[in-house]
Amino acid sequence: MRRSLAGVALAVTSMVALSFLIPLGALVMSLVKEQSVTAAEQRAAALAPVLTLTTDPSALRESAAGLDAAEHLVIHLPDAQSLGDSQAPVKLLERAQQGRESISQKTPGGWICLQPVVLPGDRVAVIENFVPDEELTRGVKASWAVMLLLAVGLVGGSVLVADRLGAKVVRSSKKLAQASHTLGQGNLDTRVEPMGPKELRDAGVAFNAMAHRMTELLAIERELVADLSHRLRTPLTALHLASERMAGTPESARVEAAVHALESELQAIITTARTPLAVGPMGHGLRSAETNTGRKPTGTGPSSECPRSEAAEVVRRRTAFWSVLAEQQDRPCSLDLTQEPTAVSLSDDDIAAVVDALIGNVFSHTPPGTAFGVRVARTAQAVELVVEDSGPGIPEPDRALSRGSSTGSSGLGLDIARRAAAVTGGTMRIAHGPRGGAHITVVFALAPPAPPERGPRGSRRRARWWPRTR
C-alpha cells in the first residue's frame, strides 16, 4: 500500500508538472526570441535619425558603435555602399529599398531586421540588423533547467509526503493484522493502540472491543464448565458412601480406588477450568497454574513456559489406571512401550487427556470383553501412540474427527487427540487394524533438545530427562 500511494503521488504530480513545464518552456523561448527581435528593431530605429542628418561613413560608424551589438549593424547607403558585413539576401534587400517596407523575418543562421530610411532627394538607405540564433535562445536553457529542478523538487516532495502518509497507514494496518494473527494463535491479552486514519482507528477500537468480549465469553464458559463439574460431586459422594457400605467385599477396594481416582480427576477439571485463560493453544504458552491453584505445572521440561513430558511414562500410568476397569469387563489389555526417550512438547495433563480419550472410546463403543492394545514407538523425528482394538471399528474416519457429527458420540475425544498432535507439528490417522477394529495412530513430533545447563563454575552439562512417577 505504501508503494502504491507513492506511485500514485508520483504519477499525478508528474502529470501536473508536465502540463505546466511544456507550455512554460515554449513561452520562455517565445519571450526570449521576441525580446531579441524587438531589441534589434529598436537599434535600427535609433540609427535612422542619424541617417537623415548625414550619410558620412565615418559619422555613421561612430554612431553605430555607440549602440549595443554594433557588430551586427549594417548600413546600406543609396550609392550601393554598405558599412559592415551584410547577412541579408539580395532580393530581400532590394525589396526593402524599392518597396520602402520594414522587414523582419527568419533567415538561415538567425533573424534579419531591415529598416528603410528615406533621405533627402527621395533616396532610400536601409539599416540592417542581424540577430544570430545564439541571441534568439540566450538564457532559454538556463530557464528550462531552473523549471526542471523546481518540477523535480515538487515531484520529490509530493512523493515524500505521500510516502510518510502511506507509512502511517501501513504501520496501523500491519499492527492490526499482527494483533489479529496473534489473537488467532490464542493470545487473548492482545490489544492494539488505535492510530492512523479515522477508519483504521475505528477498526482498532472495534478489535479491542471484540478481543475483550471474547475473553469475557471464554471466562464465562470456563466458569460454567467448573460449575457443571462441581455438580458431579453429589453423585460422587453417593458412590463413596456406597463403597464404604461394601467394605469387606472383594470389589470394595477396586470401587474405592476408582472413586478416589474419579474425585481426583474431577478436582483437576474444576481447578483447570477456573485457572486464568491460556494465552496459547494446547501445550504452549499456558499461564502457570502454580500462582492460581498452588500446584506446580505438570510439564516435566525445564520451564513451564515450554512444557516437556515423557510420553511413554504418561501412557504407562494412564494405561495402568484403565487396566483396572478393563479387568472388571474381561477386556484383554496389552501395553508395548519403547525404551528410547520420548520427550514431546506437551504437558503430562495434555498427553493424559489424549490417552484417556482414545482408551475411553474403546470402552464406550465396544462391548465388554473386547481386547485392545496400547503401543508407544519412537521414530527418528516423532513419537507414535497407537491404540487399537478388536471391535467393529470406525466406519467413517473423516466424519469421526468432527465434533458432534458422529452417531452416538460427541466427537470430542478424537478432536482432543488431533489438536494435541497438531500442536507439536504431528498428525493423527484412523484406519482398520490387524485386530479387526479401529487402529488410531497419534504422531507427536519430538521436542527440541533441552538447552545445556551451567554448573556452579560455569561448566556446561547435558540436560537429562528422567521419567516422572506419581
Side-chain angles (χ1 to χ4, degrees), residues 116-153:
V117 179
V118 180
L119 301 178
D122 199 25
R123 295 178 302 167
V124 178
V126 178
I127 303 175
E128 172 191 338
N129 197 354
F130 178 74
V131 183
D133 287 335
E134 305 85 61
E135 296 291 334
L136 294 175
T137 58
R138 177 176 296 177
V140 173
K141 292 183 179 179
S143 300
W144 283 358
V146 172
M147 289 189 294
L148 183 61
L149 288 176
L150 290 176
V152 170

Short mmCIF file of all heavy atoms in Angstrom, two decimals, residues 116-153:
data_model
loop_
_atom_site.label_atom_id
_atom_site.label_comp_id
_atom_site.label_asym_id
_atom_site.label_seq_id
_atom_site.Cartn_x
_atom_site.Cartn_y
_atom_site.Cartn_z
N PRO A 116 14.06 50.56 -43.77
CA PRO A 116 14.37 51.59 -44.79
C PRO A 116 14.26 52.99 -44.21
O PRO A 116 13.42 53.25 -43.35
CB PRO A 116 13.32 51.33 -45.86
CG PRO A 116 12.19 50.68 -45.14
CD PRO A 116 12.78 49.90 -44.00
N VAL A 117 15.16 53.89 -44.68
CA VAL A 117 15.16 55.30 -44.23
C VAL A 117 15.16 56.17 -45.50
O VAL A 117 16.07 56.06 -46.34
CB VAL A 117 16.37 55.62 -43.34
CG1 VAL A 117 16.33 57.09 -42.94
CG2 VAL A 117 16.39 54.69 -42.12
N VAL A 118 14.16 57.02 -45.63
CA VAL A 118 14.06 57.91 -46.81
C VAL A 118 14.91 59.16 -46.55
O VAL A 118 14.70 59.87 -45.56
CB VAL A 118 12.59 58.30 -47.08
CG1 VAL A 118 12.51 59.22 -48.30
CG2 VAL A 118 11.75 57.04 -47.28
N LEU A 119 15.87 59.37 -47.47
CA LEU A 119 16.79 60.51 -47.35
C LEU A 119 16.33 61.65 -48.26
O LEU A 119 15.47 61.45 -49.15
CB LEU A 119 18.20 60.06 -47.72
CG LEU A 119 18.79 58.92 -46.88
CD1 LEU A 119 20.18 58.55 -47.41
CD2 LEU A 119 18.83 59.27 -45.42
N PRO A 120 16.90 62.85 -48.06
CA PRO A 120 16.58 63.96 -48.96
C PRO A 120 16.88 63.58 -50.41
O PRO A 120 17.86 62.87 -50.69
CB PRO A 120 17.46 65.10 -48.47
CG PRO A 120 17.72 64.77 -47.03
CD PRO A 120 17.79 63.28 -46.96
N GLY A 121 16.08 64.05 -51.32
CA GLY A 121 16.26 63.73 -52.73
C GLY A 121 15.57 62.42 -53.09
O GLY A 121 15.89 61.83 -54.13
N ASP A 122 14.69 61.96 -52.22
CA ASP A 122 13.92 60.72 -52.45
C ASP A 122 14.84 59.51 -52.60
O ASP A 122 14.58 58.59 -53.37
CB ASP A 122 13.03 60.88 -53.68
CG ASP A 122 11.90 59.83 -53.68
OD1 ASP A 122 11.53 59.35 -52.56
OD2 ASP A 122 11.41 59.47 -54.75
N ARG A 123 15.94 59.57 -51.89
CA ARG A 123 16.82 58.41 -51.88
C ARG A 123 16.47 57.54 -50.65
O ARG A 123 15.97 58.02 -49.65
CB ARG A 123 18.27 58.86 -51.80
CG ARG A 123 18.74 59.65 -53.04
CD ARG A 123 20.17 60.09 -52.86
NE ARG A 123 20.33 60.90 -51.66
CZ ARG A 123 21.51 61.21 -51.14
NH1 ARG A 123 22.62 60.73 -51.69
NH2 ARG A 123 21.56 61.97 -50.08
N VAL A 124 16.80 56.24 -50.75
CA VAL A 124 16.45 55.28 -49.68
C VAL A 124 17.71 54.57 -49.21
O VAL A 124 18.46 54.00 -50.02
CB VAL A 124 15.42 54.25 -50.17
CG1 VAL A 124 15.13 53.25 -49.06
CG2 VAL A 124 14.15 54.93 -50.63
N ALA A 125 17.94 54.66 -47.92
CA ALA A 125 19.01 53.87 -47.28
C ALA A 125 18.33 52.79 -46.41
O ALA A 125 17.21 52.96 -45.92
CB ALA A 125 19.89 54.76 -46.44
N VAL A 126 19.02 51.71 -46.20
CA VAL A 126 18.47 50.57 -45.43
C VAL A 126 19.42 50.23 -44.27
O VAL A 126 20.62 50.05 -44.49
CB VAL A 126 18.25 49.33 -46.31
CG1 VAL A 126 17.73 48.17 -45.46
CG2 VAL A 126 17.29 49.64 -47.45
N ILE A 127 18.83 50.19 -43.09
CA ILE A 127 19.60 49.77 -41.88
C ILE A 127 19.30 48.28 -41.64
O ILE A 127 18.14 47.89 -41.46
CB ILE A 127 19.22 50.60 -40.66
CG1 ILE A 127 19.45 52.11 -40.93
CG2 ILE A 127 20.01 50.14 -39.44
CD1 ILE A 127 18.97 53.00 -39.81
N GLU A 128 20.35 47.51 -41.65
CA GLU A 128 20.21 46.05 -41.44
C GLU A 128 20.74 45.69 -40.05
O GLU A 128 21.83 46.13 -39.68
CB GLU A 128 21.00 45.30 -42.52
CG GLU A 128 21.06 43.80 -42.27
CD GLU A 128 22.05 43.11 -43.18
OE1 GLU A 128 22.37 43.67 -44.27
OE2 GLU A 128 22.53 42.01 -42.82
N ASN A 129 19.95 44.88 -39.32
CA ASN A 129 20.39 44.36 -38.01
C ASN A 129 20.13 42.86 -37.98
O ASN A 129 18.99 42.42 -38.08
CB ASN A 129 19.64 45.05 -36.87
CG ASN A 129 20.35 44.85 -35.53
OD1 ASN A 129 21.32 44.11 -35.44
ND2 ASN A 129 19.86 45.51 -34.51
N PHE A 130 21.20 42.11 -37.86
CA PHE A 130 21.12 40.65 -37.88
C PHE A 130 21.24 40.10 -36.45
O PHE A 130 22.16 40.48 -35.73
CB PHE A 130 22.22 40.06 -38.77
CG PHE A 130 22.23 38.56 -38.81
CD1 PHE A 130 21.27 37.86 -39.51
CD2 PHE A 130 23.22 37.85 -38.13
CE1 PHE A 130 21.29 36.47 -39.53
CE2 PHE A 130 23.24 36.48 -38.16
CZ PHE A 130 22.27 35.77 -38.86
N VAL A 131 20.31 39.22 -36.08
CA VAL A 131 20.34 38.60 -34.74
C VAL A 131 20.66 37.12 -34.91
O VAL A 131 19.85 36.36 -35.48
CB VAL A 131 18.99 38.76 -34.01
CG1 VAL A 131 19.08 38.17 -32.61
CG2 VAL A 131 18.59 40.24 -33.96
N PRO A 132 21.83 36.64 -34.48
CA PRO A 132 22.18 35.21 -34.63
C PRO A 132 21.25 34.32 -33.78
O PRO A 132 20.58 34.77 -32.86
CB PRO A 132 23.62 35.14 -34.13
CG PRO A 132 24.11 36.54 -34.10
CD PRO A 132 22.92 37.41 -33.88
N ASP A 133 21.26 33.05 -34.15
CA ASP A 133 20.43 32.08 -33.40
C ASP A 133 20.82 32.03 -31.93
O ASP A 133 19.98 31.79 -31.05
CB ASP A 133 20.57 30.68 -34.02
CG ASP A 133 19.83 30.58 -35.36
OD1 ASP A 133 18.87 31.36 -35.55
OD2 ASP A 133 20.20 29.72 -36.18
N GLU A 134 22.11 32.22 -31.61
CA GLU A 134 22.52 32.17 -30.20
C GLU A 134 21.84 33.25 -29.39
O GLU A 134 21.51 33.05 -28.21
CB GLU A 134 24.03 32.34 -30.07
CG GLU A 134 24.86 31.34 -30.89
CD GLU A 134 25.06 31.79 -32.32
OE1 GLU A 134 25.67 32.87 -32.55
OE2 GLU A 134 24.59 31.06 -33.21
N GLU A 135 21.65 34.45 -30.04
CA GLU A 135 20.98 35.54 -29.33
C GLU A 135 19.49 35.25 -29.14
O GLU A 135 18.90 35.65 -28.15
CB GLU A 135 21.16 36.85 -30.10
CG GLU A 135 22.59 37.33 -30.22
CD GLU A 135 23.14 37.78 -28.88
OE1 GLU A 135 22.33 38.18 -28.01
OE2 GLU A 135 24.37 37.72 -28.69
N LEU A 136 18.91 34.54 -30.12
CA LEU A 136 17.47 34.25 -30.04
C LEU A 136 17.15 33.26 -28.92
O LEU A 136 16.01 33.21 -28.44
CB LEU A 136 16.97 33.69 -31.37
CG LEU A 136 17.01 34.66 -32.57
CD1 LEU A 136 16.59 33.95 -33.83
CD2 LEU A 136 16.07 35.85 -32.30
N THR A 137 18.11 32.43 -28.53
CA THR A 137 17.87 31.41 -27.50
C THR A 137 18.74 31.62 -26.26
O THR A 137 18.90 30.71 -25.45
CB THR A 137 18.15 30.00 -28.07
OG1 THR A 137 19.51 29.96 -28.53
CG2 THR A 137 17.21 29.70 -29.22
N ARG A 138 19.32 32.81 -26.10
CA ARG A 138 20.17 33.06 -24.95
C ARG A 138 19.34 33.02 -23.65
O ARG A 138 18.34 33.72 -23.53
CB ARG A 138 20.87 34.40 -25.07
CG ARG A 138 21.74 34.77 -23.86
CD ARG A 138 22.47 36.06 -24.10
NE ARG A 138 23.42 35.93 -25.22
CZ ARG A 138 24.15 36.94 -25.67
NH1 ARG A 138 24.03 38.14 -25.12
NH2 ARG A 138 25.00 36.76 -26.67
N GLY A 139 19.79 32.20 -22.69
CA GLY A 139 19.11 32.11 -21.40
C GLY A 139 17.96 31.12 -21.35
O GLY A 139 17.41 30.84 -20.27
N VAL A 140 17.58 30.55 -22.53
CA VAL A 140 16.44 29.61 -22.54
C VAL A 140 16.80 28.32 -21.81
O VAL A 140 16.03 27.82 -20.98
CB VAL A 140 16.02 29.31 -24.00
CG1 VAL A 140 14.98 28.21 -24.03
CG2 VAL A 140 15.48 30.57 -24.65
N LYS A 141 17.97 27.77 -22.07
CA LYS A 141 18.36 26.52 -21.42
C LYS A 141 18.48 26.68 -19.91
O LYS A 141 18.10 25.79 -19.14
CB LYS A 141 19.68 26.02 -22.00
CG LYS A 141 19.58 25.58 -23.45
CD LYS A 141 20.90 25.02 -23.94
CE LYS A 141 20.80 24.55 -25.40
NZ LYS A 141 22.08 24.02 -25.90
N ALA A 142 18.99 27.81 -19.47
CA ALA A 142 19.10 28.05 -18.02
C ALA A 142 17.71 28.13 -17.40
O ALA A 142 17.47 27.57 -16.30
CB ALA A 142 19.87 29.33 -17.77
N SER A 143 16.79 28.80 -18.10
CA SER A 143 15.42 28.89 -17.58
C SER A 143 14.76 27.51 -17.53
O SER A 143 14.09 27.16 -16.56
CB SER A 143 14.59 29.83 -18.45
OG SER A 143 15.16 31.14 -18.47
N TRP A 144 14.99 26.72 -18.59
CA TRP A 144 14.44 25.37 -18.59
C TRP A 144 15.03 24.54 -17.46
O TRP A 144 14.32 23.75 -16.81
CB TRP A 144 14.73 24.70 -19.93
CG TRP A 144 13.83 25.18 -21.04
CD1 TRP A 144 12.83 26.07 -20.95
CD2 TRP A 144 13.89 24.78 -22.41
NE1 TRP A 144 12.24 26.28 -22.17
CE2 TRP A 144 12.88 25.49 -23.09
CE3 TRP A 144 14.70 23.92 -23.14
CZ2 TRP A 144 12.65 25.34 -24.46
CZ3 TRP A 144 14.47 23.76 -24.49
CH2 TRP A 144 13.46 24.46 -25.16
N ALA A 145 16.32 24.68 -17.21
CA ALA A 145 16.96 23.91 -16.13
C ALA A 145 16.37 24.27 -14.78
O ALA A 145 16.12 23.41 -13.92
CB ALA A 145 18.47 24.14 -16.15
N VAL A 146 16.14 25.58 -14.55
CA VAL A 146 15.55 26.02 -13.28
C VAL A 146 14.15 25.44 -13.11
O VAL A 146 13.78 24.93 -12.05
CB VAL A 146 15.54 27.56 -13.20
CG1 VAL A 146 14.74 28.02 -11.98
CG2 VAL A 146 16.95 28.10 -13.14
N MET A 147 13.34 25.52 -14.20
CA MET A 147 11.98 24.99 -14.11
C MET A 147 11.98 23.47 -13.90
O MET A 147 11.16 22.93 -13.16
CB MET A 147 11.21 25.34 -15.39
CG MET A 147 10.86 26.82 -15.51
SD MET A 147 9.74 27.17 -16.88
CE MET A 147 10.79 26.75 -18.28
N LEU A 148 12.95 22.78 -14.55
CA LEU A 148 13.05 21.34 -14.38
C LEU A 148 13.42 20.97 -12.94
O LEU A 148 12.86 20.03 -12.35
CB LEU A 148 14.07 20.77 -15.35
CG LEU A 148 14.23 19.24 -15.34
CD1 LEU A 148 12.92 18.57 -15.71
CD2 LEU A 148 15.35 18.81 -16.29
N LEU A 149 14.35 21.72 -12.37
CA LEU A 149 14.73 21.46 -10.98
C LEU A 149 13.55 21.71 -10.04
O LEU A 149 13.33 20.94 -9.09
CB LEU A 149 15.91 22.34 -10.59
CG LEU A 149 17.27 21.97 -11.21
CD1 LEU A 149 18.33 22.99 -10.81
CD2 LEU A 149 17.68 20.58 -10.78
N LEU A 150 12.82 22.77 -10.29
CA LEU A 150 11.64 23.04 -9.46
C LEU A 150 10.61 21.93 -9.60
O LEU A 150 10.00 21.50 -8.61
CB LEU A 150 11.02 24.39 -9.86
CG LEU A 150 11.82 25.64 -9.50
CD1 LEU A 150 11.14 26.88 -10.04
CD2 LEU A 150 12.00 25.74 -7.99
N ALA A 151 10.43 21.44 -10.84
CA ALA A 151 9.47 20.35 -11.04
C ALA A 151 9.91 19.07 -10.33
O ALA A 151 9.11 18.38 -9.70
CB ALA A 151 9.29 20.08 -12.54
N VAL A 152 11.23 18.77 -10.45
CA VAL A 152 11.75 17.58 -9.76
C VAL A 152 11.59 17.72 -8.25
O VAL A 152 11.20 16.77 -7.55
CB VAL A 152 13.21 17.35 -10.14
CG1 VAL A 152 13.84 16.25 -9.27
CG2 VAL A 152 13.33 16.96 -11.62
N GLY A 153 11.86 18.91 -7.73
CA GLY A 153 11.67 19.12 -6.29
C GLY A 153 10.22 18.98 -5.88
O GLY A 153 9.92 18.40 -4.83
#
